[in-house]
Amino acid sequence: MTLHIETPALLFSATSLILLAYTNRFLTIAQIIRSLKKHYDEVHSKSILMQIQNLNLRLSLIRYMQLFGVLCLFLSVFAMLLLFLEQQMLGIYLFGSSLLCLLISLGISFWEISISVTALRMHLSDIVEQETEKK
């Protein structure tokens, strides 16, 4: 079994774009948390506190998504180095590990997205309930 040095390099562009998307999600959620905290300091609503807790969980998930994404990139580069040094089997195992890290990162991303969708659906159901009560 052989692996060419170019194969791990294929992950660079994809991993870089994924990490950029994760960073954008992190920055957006951080901005929402700052806004909600300011609002919570004024109102002390339990609903806002629950939203902040939900966003805190999502921040933790994004941190792990980023961790495994960076680990994927690191292992890919290390695999390329080993392939360059003609350490074929070790390079193959490290590249396989980098793919596993990418899968874990994407799985956590799916989990974070599902939490986000659930939270948005709760907001929508609140709006629907308020509108039906008005009628």
Side-chain angles (χ1 to χ4, degrees):
M1 176 188 273
T2 60
L3 181 67
H4 298 282
I5 197 167
E6 299 88 11
T7 305
L10 293 173
L11 287 182
F12 286 6
S13 60
T15 306
S16 298
L17 288 174
I18 288 172
L19 290 173
L20 181 62
Y22 292 168
T23 300
N24 287 338
R25 283 159 106 171
F26 176 84
L27 293 174
T28 302
I29 290 174
Q31 184 178 12
I32 293 169
I33 288 174
R34 287 184 190 100
S35 172
L36 283 174
K37 189 202 179 295
K38 183 178 178 183
H39 190 60
Y40 177 77
D41 289 341
E42 297 168 359
V43 179
H44 290 305
S45 167
K46 184 178 180 181
S47 171
I48 294 173
L49 185 61
M50 289 172 54
Q51 289 177 43
I52 291 172
Q53 290 171 340
N54 178 288
L55 291 170
N56 188 36
L57 170 62
R58 289 178 59 200
L59 279 178
S60 296
L61 292 175
I62 291 171
R63 181 179 63 215
Y64 287 115
M65 289 160 34
Q66 289 173 325
L67 170 77
F68 282 103
V70 168
L71 194 56
C72 168
L73 198 56
F74 177 81
L75 292 173
S76 292
V77 171
F78 200 37
M80 286 177 61
L81 177 65
L82 289 172
L83 292 171
F84 177 74
L85 297 173
E86 298 180 7
Q87 298 293 317
Q88 193 64 221
M89 284 310 292
L90 197 52
I92 289 171
Y93 287 127
L94 275 180
F95 181 62
S97 298
S98 73
L99 291 175
L100 181 62
C101 286
L102 183 58
L103 279 173
I104 292 169
S105 177
L106 293 172
I108 296 170
S109 175
F110 180 76
W111 182 13
E112 189 269 332
I113 290 169
S114 67
I115 291 171
S116 175
V117 168
T118 302
L120 289 172
R121 283 196 175 134
M122 289 196 320
H123 281 297
L124 291 175
S125 69
D126 288 346
I127 293 170
V128 170
E129 286 177 19
Q130 290 173 359
E131 289 300 313
T132 54
E133 288 175 2
K134 287 181 182 178
K135 293 179 183 179

